[in-house]
């Protein structure tokens, strides 16, 4: 991965601990992320975001990246709104 891309993207390895059904019938995937040795952070995501063949007890990679085009577009919109407010 080139240096510029590394700054816009991060990959983390997570453990898919379990899939829970909610009262409304939807499901959430419960993940464990190791922050420090033997210290885990738990978080959930909708289970429909999982790959089709993902199952409890597996390690998965989550990629977090910045949508540069959308970020730039939002910045330009904010600048335009600010200019309009100042007029």
């Amino acid at each position: 991965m080139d240096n510029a891309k590394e700054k816009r993207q991060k990959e983390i390895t997570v453990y898919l601990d379990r899939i829970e059904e909610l009262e409304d019938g939807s499901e959430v995937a419960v993940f464990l992320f190791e922050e420090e040795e033997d210290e885990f952070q738990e978080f959930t995501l909708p289970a429909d975001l999982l790959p089709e063949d993902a199952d409890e007890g597996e390690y998965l990679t989550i990629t977090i990246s910045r949508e540069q085009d959308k970020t730039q577009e939002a910045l330009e919109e904010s600048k335009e709104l600010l200019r309009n407010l100042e007029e």
Side-chain angles (χ1 to χ4, degrees):
M1 188 178 320
D2 68 19
N3 213 12
K5 192 168 187 166
E6 283 181 17
K7 292 179 182 177
R8 292 190 309 255
Q9 177 174 305
K10 184 167 187 162
E11 290 184 348
I12 58 172
T13 300
V14 297
Y15 179 76
L16 177 54
D17 187 52
R18 63 191 180 277
I19 298 173
E20 295 181 349
E21 187 172 339
L22 302 178
E23 289 179 14
D24 66 2
S26 64
E27 295 182 322
V28 292
V30 180
F31 295 97
L32 298 177
F33 170 71
E34 189 170 16
E35 291 185 308
E36 295 181 24
E37 191 172 332
D38 296 328
E39 290 187 28
F40 294 90
Q41 179 75 26
E42 184 178 285
F43 67 96
T44 62
L45 290 173
D48 61 352
L49 296 177
L50 293 172
E52 280 186 33
D53 59 348
D55 202 5
E56 296 174 350
E58 294 184 327
Y59 285 89
L60 302 172
T61 301
I62 295 178
T63 303
I64 303 169
S65 62
R66 182 178 293 129
E67 288 289 334
Q68 190 62 35
D69 292 340
K70 290 181 182 179
T71 301
Q72 187 62 38
E73 184 179 309
L75 179 60
E76 294 302 322
E77 287 178 18
S78 297
K79 287 179 181 178
E80 181 66 28
L81 287 171
L82 187 57
R83 281 192 293 272
N84 290 339
L85 287 173
E86 292 174 346
E87 293 177 352

